[in-house]
Amino acid sequence: MDQGEIWAVGGGKGGTGKSFLAANLGITLANQGKRVLLIDADLGCANLHTCLGIDYPEATLSDLLTGRIKRIEQAIVPTGITRLGLISGAQDILAMANPKHAQKTRLLKQIQELDMEYIILDLGAGTSFNVLDFFLIADQGILAVLPEPTSIENVYRFIKSVFYRRFRKIAREEAVREIIAQAMDQKNENGIKTPYDLIKQVARMDGAVGELLKNEMYSFRPKLVVNQVRSKDDITLGFSMRSSCTQYFGITVEYIGYVEYDDHVWQATKRRRPLVTEYPMSSSARGIKSVAARLVTHEQLTIDYLVDTAPRR
């Protein structure tokens, strides 16, 4: 069985367009001849099926978590788009939003074993351990951000949270794990504000573990997409956030593109039709296709790209 590449779309705050990005990225890849599976990993408020214009499926992730089905493949439903399948999350089942550790471990393992070229996870809002763990199994973690203060703040918080969660998973010593757990509280008594601070604290306890965490920091490279761009300033937000993450966190964030604010988006949403299917030549659809291309080729957006392409508003 071939192991496909997993992409996870997160960012902490709700309403930033995570489901919109996931659905349209999946369609873009499928239209290029790739075998793609979309998974709605929002275990409490699934809505990815709505973005695709299909009814809520009978079989979902909740059926796997409760044991009604044994294998995740049994929850795959067609989307009406060739080579694109969907596994929906749970709706209005409070217990499913917080599965037991064994349930989650089984779910993550089965996702990683799926025979697809690309698997795209649409994550829920917030920074719960479940959301962070879905993000951490991805080969490429994608952060959706809006050019507004609350969204920017939430993305920074999400980056720190997922980074600390990654640290805690690789740490073995209980004392180190405790320090990492404390660091996730911004008001912790140790004064740890950034991953840099955490690594220094751990290195004082155990130099080898500190070096291990430092290497993990260098290898952690989430991708950033700015959604609903209206101006050149909105586009440059991605470069600013990239610089801030390097300067204050020591984390390399790769800025891979933006999607313009476009009336075609809400028009397609109102019709329950995917944007890239309904309006494939719109500016927002072109932005999504560019983001998909950079994810496939592992390229970043450059300042030079802005000269002739920035929105003229």
Side-chain angles (χ1 to χ4, degrees), residues 103-174:
Q103 290 176 311
K104 181 175 65 177
T105 299
R106 176 171 169 246
L107 172 58
L108 295 175
K109 184 174 184 294
Q110 289 201 28
I111 289 174
Q112 291 173 302
E113 293 174 347
L114 282 164
D115 183 17
M116 289 284 174
E117 290 180 85
Y118 290 94
I119 299 165
I120 302 178
L121 308 177
D122 174 24
L123 305 187
T127 55
S128 70
F129 286 165
N130 294 325
V131 172
L132 301 181
D133 288 344
F134 277 118
F135 195 84
L136 285 172
I137 69 166
D139 300 289
Q140 301 207 65
I142 305 159
L143 303 167
V145 62
L146 298 179
E148 59 182 44
T150 54
S151 179
I152 295 167
E153 180 181 345
N154 273 269
V155 166
Y156 282 137
R157 184 179 297 117
F158 186 89
I159 292 172
K160 287 176 61 178
S161 297
V162 75
F163 191 55
Y164 290 162
R165 180 67 171 169
R166 177 169 170 161
F167 270 7
R168 200 166 192 273
K169 279 180 170 291
I170 64 172
R172 293 290 179 264
E173 298 80 359
E174 188 56 39

Side-chain angles (χ1 to χ4, degrees), residues 17 20 24 227-228 259-276 278-279 282-285 288:
F20 164 75
N24 286 282
N227 192 22
Q228 297 187 18
V259 179
E260 288 188 33
Y261 180 88
D262 187 346
D263 284 344
H264 289 111
V265 174
W266 70 261
Q267 290 171 6
T269 301
K270 188 175 181 179
R271 297 177 184 177
R272 294 188 63 190
R273 293 281 295 166
L275 174 78
V276 294
E278 192 76 354
Y279 301 107
S282 63
S283 61
S284 48
I288 288 170

Side-chain angles (χ1 to χ4, degrees), residues 27 36 38 52-54 77-87 274:
I27 295 169
V36 186
L38 292 168
L52 296 166
I54 62 178
V77 298
T79 62
I81 297 167
T82 305
R83 294 177 295 273
L84 180 68
L86 168 69
I87 296 177

Side-chain angles (χ1 to χ4, degrees), residues 206-278:
D206 188 321
V209 177
E211 190 65 26
L212 176 63
L213 297 188
K214 185 186 296 184
N215 291 335
E216 284 294 317
M217 182 172 69
Y218 292 146
S219 66
F220 181 56
R221 306 175 73 91
K223 311 297 190 290
L224 184 69
V225 177
V226 182
N227 192 22
Q228 297 187 18
V229 159
R230 300 172 188 259
S231 67
K232 186 174 181 179
D233 286 343
D234 290 347
I235 298 175
T236 56
L237 168 66
F239 297 110
S240 299
M241 292 184 69
R242 184 177 69 182
S243 298
S244 295
C245 286
T246 301
Q247 181 177 355
Y248 297 110
F249 295 166
I251 296 172
T252 300
V253 171
E254 298 181 356
Y255 182 27
I256 58 169
Y258 61 89
V259 179
E260 288 188 33
Y261 180 88
D262 187 346
D263 284 344
H264 289 111
V265 174
W266 70 261
Q267 290 171 6
T269 301
K270 188 175 181 179
R271 297 177 184 177
R272 294 188 63 190
R273 293 281 295 166
L275 174 78
V276 294
T277 301
E278 192 76 354

Side-chain angles (χ1 to χ4, degrees), residues 163-218:
F163 191 55
Y164 290 162
R165 180 67 171 169
R166 177 169 170 161
F167 270 7
R168 200 166 192 273
K169 279 180 170 291
I170 64 172
R172 293 290 179 264
E173 298 80 359
E174 188 56 39
V176 173
R177 290 169 63 88
E178 180 61 29
I179 289 293
I180 296 171
Q182 292 174 17
M184 296 184 76
D185 179 359
Q186 188 66 22
K187 298 179 181 179
N188 66 86
E189 295 179 357
N190 295 308
I192 298 173
K193 302 295 183 184
T194 70
Y196 272 141
D197 297 335
L198 175 59
I199 291 173
K200 289 179 183 178
Q201 181 87 3
V202 171
R204 285 196 289 268
M205 301 169 59
D206 188 321
V209 177
E211 190 65 26
L212 176 63
L213 297 188
K214 185 186 296 184
N215 291 335
E216 284 294 317
M217 182 172 69
Y218 292 146

Side-chain angles (χ1 to χ4, degrees), residues 19-64:
S19 298
F20 164 75
L21 283 173
N24 286 282
L25 286 172
I27 295 169
T28 298
L29 292 174
N31 287 342
Q32 294 171 358
K34 308 299 183 183
R35 291 183 299 111
V36 186
L37 178 65
L38 292 168
I39 299 181
D40 195 333
D42 189 336
L43 300 181
C45 189
N47 64 2
L48 190 55
H49 60 285
T50 304
C51 295
L52 296 166
I54 62 178
D55 294 332
Y56 186 63
E58 290 187 10
T60 69
L61 285 182
S62 63
D63 295 300
L64 180 67

